Amino acid sequence: MLPGRILLAGLRRSASAASSVAQSPKNMCYWDRVIWSSRYFHSASDNTFSEGGSKAKELPDPFALIKDEVSEVTDRLRSMVVAEIPELTSAAGYFFRAGAEGKRTCPTVLLLMASAISTDMSDPIVGLENKPRARHVRVAEITEMIHISSLIHDDVLDNADTRRGMDSLNFTVGKKLAVLAGDFLLFRAFSAAVALDNTEVVSLLATAVNNLVTGELMQLTITPAQRCSMDYYLQKTYYKTAALISNSCKAVAVLSGQTTEVQALAYQYGRHLGIAYQLIDDILDFTGTSASLGKASFSDINQGIVTAPILFAMEEFPQLREIVEQGFDDPSSNVDVVCIESVPFSFFLVLKYLQKSQGIERTRLLAAEHAKLAAVAIDDLPPSEDPVVLSSRQALKDLTQKFLRRTK
Amino acid sequence: MSWRWALARRVAKLAATDGGGGAQAQRLLPTSSAAAGTGLLGRLHMPLASQIRSKVVGCRGAALVSSRWLHDAQYQVRQDGASRAQEQQDPFELVADELSLLANRLRSMVAAELHLQVPKLASAAEYFFKVGAEGKRFRPTVLLLMASALKFPLSESTEGGVLSILADKLRTRQQNIAEITEMIHVASLLHDDVLDDADTRRGVSSLNLIMGNKLSVLAGDFLLSRACVALAALGNTEVVSLMATAVEHLVTGETMQISTSREQRRSMEYYLQKTYYKTASLISNSCKAVAILAGHTAEVSMLAYEYGRNLGLAFQLIDDVLDFTGTSASLGKGSLSDIRHGIITAPMLYAIEEFPQLQEVVDRGFDNPANIEIALDYLRKSRGIERTKELAREHADRAVKAIESLPDSDDEDVLTSRRALIDITERVITRTK
């Protein structure tokens, strides 16, 4: 009786796949989730096995799997940042407004991770207010708040005018209010973390916050020698980009009551994903355009930040190293610098060397390496039969590939 | 508000004189100049404060024991060395050594963390934790005294027993609250002084002169993140909540200050709310946190909170008065920095109540020094200063009452600390700078 119903439901759903409204996992009963996620799973395998060649490259969108749950996260975030003063509320909620949310990678990864490591096979059919899920969602919210808080402060530090294709917060309300809004978000996040009543989770998040600041510090006060060091760069990248997502993934595992091995795997996934993401970001800073990036391209090099492509290029061309060590001169400060349309000549030289070198390619290879390690971490998770778990794991792996291929 | 500018100036001057802390330690231990260990004290042999410090800054275990031992030692000196006459003990002296301990811990934490990567920042942040001017030690002093004032009675015979170790642990945690409070306070100073480009013509903060916006923001972020880590380590949900609330209040207060509308400027209620957020909230919530860590009831914790709140408000109100009067009793000799920055404080608000014409003057703004003179004139004619002082006295009295309402205790330490806390309220009211 039951299997027949499922089959029918499944057929009906795939027939109306194009127009069906995606339900969020937490509102579904167990069997619905099976069908719903199997659709994702089958479409993934269909693409891989059928028609070979070009079709195989088309991945289902891992973001789509839990798009609605992530939307709810953003909605809730808007209400979580209400302050006593309207100016503070609007400043803090600036990046949670409709249309301003960005890709929301952090919550997506975390919610997928929560599903991927879940061992609760006895997920009851009545599980609407799925308590453990609610706590994971909280971690996603907290992480997003911390992430936004660091973005806001970064923009103040970099004097950035744009972010996500619109005016940055400091451009809109001034540096001071932006700094205050960032602090506010950080401590709201911290309060929410404390409410989870798990000291290890709070520790992990506090460590992540600490790492974010350390990374920023490393960048701000870099010496010429450190500028040329790949190790320093990778360490800084870990702190600035990967630390938050890796610690949050681990926090999700801790909240689920998983073993230390699973916690470590979750952590590794986050870490490698974050580093891969940043490496591609560095490439895009050279190859992307302002329109597609939503922010100025060449912004790294314009601020004198030496990233992986340049570091690799320096290994091939020692002359490049000299230019870099002298520092990227600010035209206004050094009258000896030759300028072409107010851009220092050294800038063009650097680009020239980069083009001649294998810098971009090698960075891409390194990113692929990290993406593979992230996928391996997922594969090493304890085996599971649950379709929801399996499709979430597949989505996480697809995410790594998606990052590698992005153009913006 | 002026004490904040004063602090900034002091910091900017870079008190290179490190003698402050050492001198105080010397005064505390009169026998230190004599052969260590002999003299008035009999029961306890006391090595030099510096030896204590060096022993303690290293090992955590030693810190646990030494902190309480040090703390008790301070009181021993009081008991044996104090004359029979009612000598008004300087409340700051009571905890001076413990404070040095805290200051050193904070400095070494900052130095160790930052020095690895960021020497420039380490030296910048060090300014704040340098042993120096009294103003900077206000908060930790109050918190340490509050911790002592709330001690549960411990029978002397259990020295070295389990209870004693627990008391040590508690003391260390309460010291951590003091450290966290100081970190949050300094971070808020740094962030408050971030300037928008439009502000530079009005009056450049000296903090920014040293470090520039970027470093200010980052140093503040660093301190806040360290405070987060330290709070997480305490493992007490309620305490973390309180401190997080305090930070929120700081941010809210500062936002209120920079986004004050015209109507709000006239309102005494708005001003007092902002003052609570900016000045009193941190100290009141930390006092409450200290009580909670000790395991006190909600009533006692509220009393601690009330003390901190009223003390903070009294402090700020007198600060506002001093900004006008300075060290002299007469008006206009103070630094007038509040009014120059367009910040309307309690005395002026009271004066406006008496002289509505003053409102127009205030609305015109104070870029023109002549306008300042006119406003001061009105202030002189009004009872603004007196009423502010009266309000401050009211808050001070409430703070005293909170201490007196604490549960009775026979412990000498406890009574001395409570007297010291009361003494502090008096000093806050009667200070001239």
Side-chain angles (χ1 to χ4, degrees):
Chain A
M1 171 79 187
L2 209 51
R5 208 196 71 184
I6 293 172
L7 207 57
L8 200 58
L11 284 173
R12 230 185 283 139
R13 270 177 227 272
S14 42
S16 61
S19 54
S20 67
V21 175
Q23 294 170 272
S24 60
K26 76 171 174 63
N27 289 330
M28 295 180 196
C29 73
Y30 181 72
W31 292 113
D32 277 350
R33 286 172 74 168
V34 171
I35 299 157
W36 183 81
S37 54
S38 66
R39 215 181 71 217
Y40 175 87
F41 203 34
H42 285 138
S43 63
S45 47
D46 278 347
N47 276 333
T48 331
F49 295 129
S50 68
E51 302 186 40
S54 54
K55 243 325 177 40
K57 296 243 191 324
E58 229 173 83
L59 290 169
D61 185 6
F63 284 87
L65 191 62
I66 46 168
K67 195 164 51 115
D68 288 320
E69 213 172 353
V70 171
S71 285
E72 282 174 34
V73 166
T74 316
D75 288 338
R76 217 182 342 257
L77 278 170
R78 262 179 232 131
S79 59
M80 279 172 86
V81 299
V82 172
E84 228 179 278
I85 316 285
E87 286 92 345
L88 196 52
T89 307
S90 60
Y94 187 77
F95 287 109
F96 301 131
R97 297 171 305 163
E101 313 95 331
K103 298 184 283 270
R104 287 172 290 186
T105 315
C106 286
T108 305
V109 168
L110 290 171
L111 291 173
L112 284 173
M113 178 60 76
S115 301
I117 57 177
S118 144
T119 50
D120 196 11
M121 279 291 285
S122 63
D123 188 14
I125 297 173
V126 295
L128 281 176
E129 265 311 307
N130 195 346
K131 281 279 164 58
R133 188 76 182 176
R135 281 151 73 77
H136 295 138
V137 172
R138 210 97 305 125
V139 174
E141 288 160 12
I142 293 165
T143 307
E144 188 67 359
M145 280 200 279
I146 295 177
H147 176 58
I148 299 292
S149 155
S150 72
L151 286 185
I152 291 177
H153 276 199
D154 279 355
D155 285 344
V156 170
L157 289 169
D158 298 338
N159 249 320
D161 286 338
T162 54
R163 159 79 67 182
R164 292 182 178 174
M166 52 184 182
D167 291 338
S168 63
L169 184 60
N170 47 303
F171 189 78
T172 315
V173 300
K175 286 194 202 124
K176 180 142 172 189
L177 193 50
V179 169
L180 292 173
D183 292 343
F184 175 77
L185 274 174
L186 178 62
F187 272 81
R188 266 289 157 96
F190 201 57
S191 304
V194 162
L196 287 172
D197 226 357
N198 184 319
T199 41
E200 200 182 340
V201 166
V202 176
S203 261
L204 283 168
L205 292 169
T207 309
V209 169
N210 209 21
N211 288 347
L212 281 170
V213 175
T214 308
E216 201 56 40
L217 280 174
M218 284 174 82
Q219 182 151 297
L220 189 71
T221 52
I222 198 168
T223 64
Q226 286 164 335
R227 249 202 200 107
C228 304
S229 156
M230 183 56 111
D231 282 338
Y232 192 84
Y233 164 79
L234 284 174
Q235 177 71 318
K236 182 191 69 168
T237 299
Y238 168 71
Y239 280 148
K240 281 193 65 156
T241 315
L244 182 59
I245 192 69
S246 56
N247 278 307
S248 308
C249 282
K250 188 171 177 188
V252 162
V254 167
L255 270 184
S256 300
Q258 297 292 333
T259 61
T260 33
E261 287 81 28
V262 173
Q263 289 174 20
L265 287 169
Y267 175 87
Q268 287 303 329
Y269 174 80
R271 178 166 160 260
H272 291 296
L273 186 75
I275 296 181
Y277 184 92
Q278 187 58 49
L279 288 168
I280 298 296
D281 213 54
D282 293 341
I283 295 177
L284 286 178
D285 197 55
F286 289 108
T287 62
T289 64
S290 307
S292 61
L293 289 177
K295 55 175 180 169
S297 55
F298 300 120
S299 59
D300 288 339
I301 195 176
N302 271 328
Q303 291 169 58
I305 297 173
V306 177
T307 54
I310 308 247
L311 287 168
F312 279 127
M314 280 200 302
E315 285 176 23
E316 292 176 53
F317 294 104
Q319 315 89 304
L320 181 55
R321 200 194 165 89
E322 268 175 49
I323 302 177
V324 167
E325 265 176 1
Q326 274 164 25
F328 298 106
D329 295 314
D330 175 17
S332 54
S333 66
N334 186 346
V335 291
D336 289 340
V337 172
V338 175
C339 287
I340 302 174
E341 286 190 42
S342 78
V343 176
F345 187 59
S346 57
F347 177 74
F348 296 106
L349 275 183
V350 168
L351 285 184
K352 190 187 90 168
Y353 279 115
L354 184 62
Q355 264 178 331
K356 281 205 291 188
S357 74
Q358 293 288 304
I360 303 260
E361 288 71 25
R362 287 175 69 188
T363 309
R364 215 180 279 282
L365 280 175
L366 185 59
E369 198 37 55
H370 279 284
K372 197 170 72 136
L373 288 170
V376 163
I378 296 296
D379 284 333
D380 284 346
L381 287 171
S384 166
E385 299 281 308
D386 187 335
V388 175
V389 171
L390 290 174
S391 61
S392 305
R393 291 185 189 184
Q394 186 60 41
L396 284 173
K397 284 162 74 171
D398 290 341
L399 202 61
T400 65
Q401 292 304 311
K402 197 172 151 79
F403 280 175
L404 287 180
R405 289 168 208 203
R406 67 184 179 114
T407 52
K408 56 180 173 115
Chain B
M1 224 58 60
S2 63
W3 66 268
R4 292 166 78 103
W5 310 115
L7 169 61
R9 276 197 298 275
R10 245 178 255 142
V11 158
K13 279 196 210 115
L14 278 181
T17 50
D18 223 340
Q24 279 180 310
Q26 294 295 337
R27 270 178 281 157
L28 177 62
L29 303 167
T31 56
S32 56
S33 53
T38 59
L40 305 161
L41 299 167
R43 166 149 109 82
L44 279 177
H45 291 254
M46 309 240 298
L48 290 169
S50 53
Q51 286 176 352
I52 300 174
R53 230 172 283 150
S54 55
K55 229 198 324 184
V56 151
V57 168
C59 163
R60 251 237 245 142
L64 265 178
V65 175
S66 313
S67 65
R68 174 161 148 92
W69 179 78
L70 182 64
H71 163 72
D72 285 350
Q74 288 166 177
Y75 283 99
Q76 280 300 320
V77 181
R78 285 288 139 333
Q79 309 320 320
D80 298 347
S83 68
R84 300 302 148 242
Q86 280 299 42
E87 199 184 294
Q88 265 297 33
Q89 205 53 250
D90 182 350
F92 294 94
E93 292 274 334
L94 268 178
V95 289
D97 263 18
E98 215 172 348
L99 273 182
S100 293
L101 182 63
L102 256 59
N104 281 333
R105 273 214 291 255
L106 276 172
R107 276 166 61 200
S108 53
M109 177 272 290
V110 165
E113 288 264 344
L114 295 184
H115 231 107
L116 293 174
Q117 289 123 6
V118 197
K120 219 193 290 180
L121 203 64
S123 55
E126 276 226 2
Y127 302 161
F128 292 96
F129 302 119
K130 259 185 143 78
V131 174
E134 200 176 279
K136 270 183 279 185
R137 303 172 126 204
F138 179 70
R139 255 162 248 88
T141 303
V142 168
L143 290 171
L144 291 173
L145 286 172
M146 181 61 77
S148 304
L150 294 173
K151 260 200 310 186
F152 283 111
L154 244 199
S155 120
E156 282 305 314
S157 63
T158 59
E159 202 70 33
V162 171
L163 283 175
S164 184
I165 297 180
L166 283 178
D168 282 349
K169 207 145 188 281
L170 172 62
R171 190 75 186 182
T172 309
R173 281 155 68 83
Q174 287 168 329
Q175 285 170 352
N176 290 339
I177 296 280
E179 287 163 2
I180 291 167
T181 306
E182 203 57 9
M183 283 194 270
I184 291 177
H185 170 64
V186 172
S188 75
L189 283 183
L190 286 164
H191 279 182
D192 284 353
D193 281 321
V194 167
L195 292 178
D196 288 310
D197 300 316
D199 290 340
T200 43
R201 59 182 168 80
R202 270 213 287 170
V204 185
S205 155
S206 31
L207 284 164
N208 259 283
L209 275 179
I210 311 170
M211 292 191 288
N213 259 355
K214 276 193 179 187
L215 234 40
S216 272
V217 174
L218 262 184
D221 281 349
F222 170 78
L223 286 171
L224 283 178
S225 71
R226 281 322 255 114
C228 282
V229 171
L231 275 173
L234 282 177
N236 183 316
T237 320
E238 205 179 342
V239 163
V240 178
S241 262
L242 283 172
M243 300 311 286
T245 308
V247 173
E248 252 187 63
H249 284 174
L250 280 170
V251 169
T252 308
E254 188 61 26
T255 312
M256 282 170 90
Q257 184 149 297
I258 59 180
S259 54
T260 312
S261 73
R262 187 158 283 194
E263 297 72 41
Q264 289 160 337
R265 268 168 161 222
R266 306 173 189 195
S267 159
M268 183 55 125
E269 211 181 297
Y270 190 82
Y271 166 78
L272 284 173
Q273 177 73 316
K274 183 194 75 171
T275 301
Y276 168 69
Y277 282 154
K278 281 198 66 149
T279 314
S281 171
L282 184 58
I283 188 72
S284 56
N285 280 307
S286 328
C287 281
K288 190 172 178 187
V290 161
I292 287 175
L293 273 184
H296 278 284
T297 61
E299 289 80 30
V300 173
S301 307
M302 267 325 278
L303 288 171
Y305 175 87
E306 281 302 314
Y307 173 81
R309 181 171 160 270
N310 285 299
L311 185 71
L313 288 172
F315 186 91
Q316 189 55 53
L317 288 166
I318 295 297
D319 212 59
D320 294 341
V321 166
L322 288 176
D323 195 55
F324 286 110
T325 63
T327 52
S328 75
S330 60
L331 214 58
K333 297 291 171 57
S335 51
L336 298 176
S337 53
D338 287 337
I339 199 172
R340 285 211 192 97
H341 284 85
I343 300 173
I344 311 301
T345 55
M348 200 57 82
L349 286 168
Y350 277 130
I352 293 177
E353 279 179 27
E354 286 179 54
F355 295 102
Q357 319 89 297
L358 181 51
Q359 185 61 63
E360 271 180 54
V361 179
V362 164
D363 286 344
R364 283 206 291 266
F366 293 106
D367 288 329
N368 180 359
N371 221 22
I372 297 182
E373 266 315 307
I374 301 175
L376 287 181
D377 226 24
Y378 275 110
L379 188 58
R380 247 175 238 119
K381 287 194 283 196
S382 74
R383 285 195 65 237
I385 298 282
E386 289 78 24
R387 285 175 73 187
T388 310
K389 284 191 186 170
E390 281 164 23
L391 186 58
R393 162 63 62 195
E394 221 182 280
H395 282 294
D397 288 342
R398 281 193 221 150
V400 170
K401 205 149 150 282
I403 295 297
E404 287 169 355
S405 311
L406 287 172
D408 289 329
S409 167
D410 290 329
D411 192 328
E412 236 353 276
D413 284 359
V414 172
L415 294 174
T416 315
S417 313
R418 292 186 189 183
R419 273 197 293 273
L421 284 172
I422 293 177
D423 188 29
I424 286 185
T425 66
E426 196 55 40
R427 281 162 187 263
V428 159
I429 302 292
T430 54
R431 69 196 168 104
T432 49
K433 61 180 172 77

